Amino acid sequence: MEKRILECVPNFSEGRDMGVIGQIAGVINNIKGIKLLGVEPGRGANRTVVTFAGEPEAVCEAAFQAVKKAAELIDMSKHRGAHPRIGATDVVPLVPVSGVTMDEAVEYARNLARSIGEELGIPVYCYEYAAYSEKRRNLANIRRGGYEGLVKKLYDPEWKPDFGPAVFNAKSGATAVGARDFLVAFNVNLNTKSKNIAEAIAEEVRERGKTIVDENGKKIEVPGKLEGVKAIGWYIEEYGRAQVSMNITKLLVTPVHVAFEEVCRKAEERGVKVTGSELVGLVPLGTMIEAGKYFLSKFQNTDEATEEELIKIAVDSMGMSEIREFKPEEKILEYVIEGRGKRPGNQNK
């Protein structure tokens, strides 16, 4: 019988205080049946992405305890960071990995959302497949206005939370809980500090595109280039550069290497260059293999390459170790879950 595995990738609005981050990761790791796959803090974004997986019931319990701990430790009234956010625990996505259908993931997500809302008193919105309405399917719609806009949003009948009180919680904000397909969070580095350039590139590559005003003052939506890609531009002070930050939700339609190449083209049109990239969270093995084969053929190399060689080609071609070393045993989903490629003495769980 296929093992039932559900993945959870909560994002917490704290990326600087390692004591707080450690406590949140600790309550997750203390739940029996959970495998903690990654903890990735970002100082500039002031946000930490945690990835863990296991039996669905254990995953939901770990997620609840993590949200509870974040509500205790993080004060959103004092939070500042580059990434859009609405709460101490900004988002809690559940991703079916094996032996779990999307319909089951939706049920788990909604039950988790109910527990967070009713037991912790945090306003909760359900998104993606778990959304109760089409308007709330897109996470960007829920986040629009950010934490600062929650007071107005929560008192708007159209934005009454799916669970929890429709009352502004200054300390914890709100949380979005959803069920979704596998997502790759991928940031492309530019050799400029200009947030405006990064934002302009993001508008052109993302699926939603941008809004322009014609000569008659009418707003027109101009679609972007890449299906299944959400993108924003920002400047990260700790890196000293701007990035195009993307969430790729349809990997079969828009693979990582296609998104990377499109950003390269749009950057060149503006007289700037892509210097590398940064993967936040995990990536499926097939995505790296596909990228390796693409760049191998682009270099007009027809030689056979091993799995390890293809991964290295992909990493080198997209500069994925520019900010921090890309370690396959820590960044590739299958390697982490199966413990593949672990080095002697490696303590990564």
mmCIF file of all heavy atoms in Angstrom, residues 219-235:
data_model
loop_
_atom_site.group_PDB
_atom_site.id
_atom_site.type_symbol
_atom_site.label_atom_id
_atom_site.label_comp_id
_atom_site.label_asym_id
_atom_site.label_seq_id
_atom_site.Cartn_x
_atom_site.Cartn_y
_atom_site.Cartn_z
ATOM 1 N N LYS A 219 -8.622 51.491 -17.782
ATOM 2 C CA LYS A 219 -7.624 50.526 -17.345
ATOM 3 C C LYS A 219 -7.702 49.262 -18.189
ATOM 4 O O LYS A 219 -8.791 48.723 -18.425
ATOM 5 C CB LYS A 219 -7.832 50.164 -15.868
ATOM 6 C CG LYS A 219 -7.513 51.303 -14.905
ATOM 7 C CD LYS A 219 -7.654 50.851 -13.465
ATOM 8 C CE LYS A 219 -7.289 51.975 -12.505
ATOM 9 N NZ LYS A 219 -7.411 51.549 -11.080
ATOM 10 N N ILE A 220 -6.541 48.810 -18.641
ATOM 11 C CA ILE A 220 -6.471 47.619 -19.483
ATOM 12 C C ILE A 220 -5.489 46.624 -18.867
ATOM 13 O O ILE A 220 -4.371 47.000 -18.496
ATOM 14 C CB ILE A 220 -6.007 47.970 -20.916
ATOM 15 C CG1 ILE A 220 -6.973 48.957 -21.565
ATOM 16 C CG2 ILE A 220 -5.881 46.716 -21.774
ATOM 17 C CD1 ILE A 220 -6.503 49.465 -22.912
ATOM 18 N N GLU A 221 -5.932 45.382 -18.741
ATOM 19 C CA GLU A 221 -5.063 44.340 -18.210
ATOM 20 C C GLU A 221 -4.216 43.754 -19.342
ATOM 21 O O GLU A 221 -4.750 43.246 -20.330
ATOM 22 C CB GLU A 221 -5.890 43.231 -17.558
ATOM 23 C CG GLU A 221 -6.724 43.683 -16.363
ATOM 24 C CD GLU A 221 -5.870 44.077 -15.178
ATOM 25 O OE1 GLU A 221 -4.748 43.534 -15.049
ATOM 26 O OE2 GLU A 221 -6.323 44.916 -14.376
ATOM 27 N N VAL A 222 -2.910 43.838 -19.194
ATOM 28 C CA VAL A 222 -1.997 43.279 -20.187
ATOM 29 C C VAL A 222 -1.413 41.984 -19.625
ATOM 30 O O VAL A 222 -0.685 42.015 -18.632
ATOM 31 C CB VAL A 222 -0.849 44.262 -20.518
ATOM 32 C CG1 VAL A 222 0.087 43.647 -21.554
ATOM 33 C CG2 VAL A 222 -1.411 45.585 -21.012
ATOM 34 N N PRO A 223 -1.735 40.821 -20.214
ATOM 35 C CA PRO A 223 -1.250 39.551 -19.657
ATOM 36 C C PRO A 223 0.269 39.434 -19.751
ATOM 37 O O PRO A 223 0.898 40.004 -20.646
ATOM 38 C CB PRO A 223 -1.939 38.494 -20.529
ATOM 39 C CG PRO A 223 -2.277 39.210 -21.802
ATOM 40 C CD PRO A 223 -2.562 40.626 -21.418
ATOM 41 N N GLY A 224 0.828 38.696 -18.811
ATOM 42 C CA GLY A 224 2.272 38.470 -18.820
ATOM 43 C C GLY A 224 2.643 37.286 -19.699
ATOM 44 O O GLY A 224 1.813 36.746 -20.434
ATOM 45 N N LYS A 225 3.870 36.852 -19.588
ATOM 46 C CA LYS A 225 4.429 35.863 -20.502
ATOM 47 C C LYS A 225 4.266 34.424 -20.019
ATOM 48 O O LYS A 225 3.997 33.520 -20.811
ATOM 49 C CB LYS A 225 5.927 36.166 -20.680
ATOM 50 C CG LYS A 225 6.669 35.220 -21.582
ATOM 51 C CD LYS A 225 6.389 35.481 -23.048
ATOM 52 C CE LYS A 225 7.280 34.638 -23.947
ATOM 53 N NZ LYS A 225 7.009 34.858 -25.368
ATOM 54 N N LEU A 226 4.438 34.175 -18.724
ATOM 55 C CA LEU A 226 4.594 32.804 -18.232
ATOM 56 C C LEU A 226 3.376 32.310 -17.461
ATOM 57 O O LEU A 226 3.036 32.838 -16.404
ATOM 58 C CB LEU A 226 5.840 32.717 -17.334
ATOM 59 C CG LEU A 226 7.159 33.163 -17.976
ATOM 60 C CD1 LEU A 226 8.270 33.142 -16.937
ATOM 61 C CD2 LEU A 226 7.518 32.263 -19.154
ATOM 62 N N GLU A 227 2.755 31.271 -17.977
ATOM 63 C CA GLU A 227 1.595 30.679 -17.321
ATOM 64 C C GLU A 227 2.006 30.000 -16.012
ATOM 65 O O GLU A 227 3.023 29.326 -15.942
ATOM 66 C CB GLU A 227 0.940 29.649 -18.249
ATOM 67 C CG GLU A 227 -0.330 29.039 -17.686
ATOM 68 C CD GLU A 227 -0.982 28.051 -18.625
ATOM 69 O OE1 GLU A 227 -0.599 28.000 -19.813
ATOM 70 O OE2 GLU A 227 -1.887 27.313 -18.164
ATOM 71 N N GLY A 228 1.188 30.200 -14.986
ATOM 72 C CA GLY A 228 1.458 29.549 -13.702
ATOM 73 C C GLY A 228 2.583 30.183 -12.917
ATOM 74 O O GLY A 228 3.137 29.562 -12.003
ATOM 75 N N VAL A 229 2.917 31.438 -13.238
ATOM 76 C CA VAL A 229 3.999 32.134 -12.524
ATOM 77 C C VAL A 229 3.459 33.402 -11.860
ATOM 78 O O VAL A 229 2.818 34.225 -12.501
ATOM 79 C CB VAL A 229 5.156 32.508 -13.476
ATOM 80 C CG1 VAL A 229 6.182 33.393 -12.759
ATOM 81 C CG2 VAL A 229 5.838 31.260 -14.012
ATOM 82 N N LYS A 230 3.717 33.515 -10.566
ATOM 83 C CA LYS A 230 3.441 34.737 -9.825
ATOM 84 C C LYS A 230 4.789 35.378 -9.537
ATOM 85 O O LYS A 230 5.734 34.672 -9.185
ATOM 86 C CB LYS A 230 2.701 34.423 -8.526
ATOM 87 C CG LYS A 230 1.370 33.711 -8.742
ATOM 88 C CD LYS A 230 0.749 33.276 -7.429
ATOM 89 C CE LYS A 230 -0.531 32.503 -7.665
ATOM 90 N NZ LYS A 230 -1.153 32.021 -6.403
ATOM 91 N N ALA A 231 4.888 36.678 -9.690
ATOM 92 C CA ALA A 231 6.201 37.311 -9.524
ATOM 93 C C ALA A 231 6.071 38.731 -8.995
ATOM 94 O O ALA A 231 5.114 39.441 -9.298
ATOM 95 C CB ALA A 231 6.959 37.324 -10.852
ATOM 96 N N ILE A 232 7.052 39.119 -8.198
ATOM 97 C CA ILE A 232 7.197 40.494 -7.735
ATOM 98 C C ILE A 232 8.676 40.855 -7.835
ATOM 99 O O ILE A 232 9.538 39.984 -7.917
ATOM 100 C CB ILE A 232 6.701 40.690 -6.284
ATOM 101 C CG1 ILE A 232 7.489 39.779 -5.315
ATOM 102 C CG2 ILE A 232 5.213 40.443 -6.169
ATOM 103 C CD1 ILE A 232 7.158 40.020 -3.846
ATOM 104 N N GLY A 233 8.956 42.138 -7.804
ATOM 105 C CA GLY A 233 10.341 42.596 -7.778
ATOM 106 C C GLY A 233 10.624 43.269 -6.455
ATOM 107 O O GLY A 233 9.761 43.961 -5.902
ATOM 108 N N TRP A 234 11.845 43.063 -5.931
ATOM 109 C CA TRP A 234 12.203 43.689 -4.665
ATOM 110 C C TRP A 234 13.711 43.884 -4.594
ATOM 111 O O TRP A 234 14.473 43.346 -5.397
ATOM 112 C CB TRP A 234 11.689 42.894 -3.479
ATOM 113 C CG TRP A 234 12.177 41.454 -3.351
ATOM 114 C CD1 TRP A 234 13.313 40.906 -3.863
ATOM 115 C CD2 TRP A 234 11.511 40.385 -2.650
ATOM 116 N NE1 TRP A 234 13.416 39.577 -3.513
ATOM 117 C CE2 TRP A 234 12.325 39.228 -2.783
ATOM 118 C CE3 TRP A 234 10.333 40.290 -1.913
ATOM 119 C CZ2 TRP A 234 11.978 37.997 -2.203
ATOM 120 C CZ3 TRP A 234 10.003 39.076 -1.347
ATOM 121 C CH2 TRP A 234 10.818 37.938 -1.496
ATOM 122 N N TYR A 235 14.114 44.694 -3.616
ATOM 123 C CA TYR A 235 15.539 44.884 -3.333
ATOM 124 C C TYR A 235 15.833 44.258 -1.975
ATOM 125 O O TYR A 235 15.153 44.546 -0.987
ATOM 126 C CB TYR A 235 15.899 46.379 -3.301
ATOM 127 C CG TYR A 235 17.292 46.647 -2.768
ATOM 128 C CD1 TYR A 235 18.419 46.256 -3.500
ATOM 129 C CD2 TYR A 235 17.482 47.264 -1.530
ATOM 130 C CE1 TYR A 235 19.702 46.487 -2.999
ATOM 131 C CE2 TYR A 235 18.757 47.492 -1.031
ATOM 132 C CZ TYR A 235 19.860 47.100 -1.776
ATOM 133 O OH TYR A 235 21.129 47.312 -1.275
#
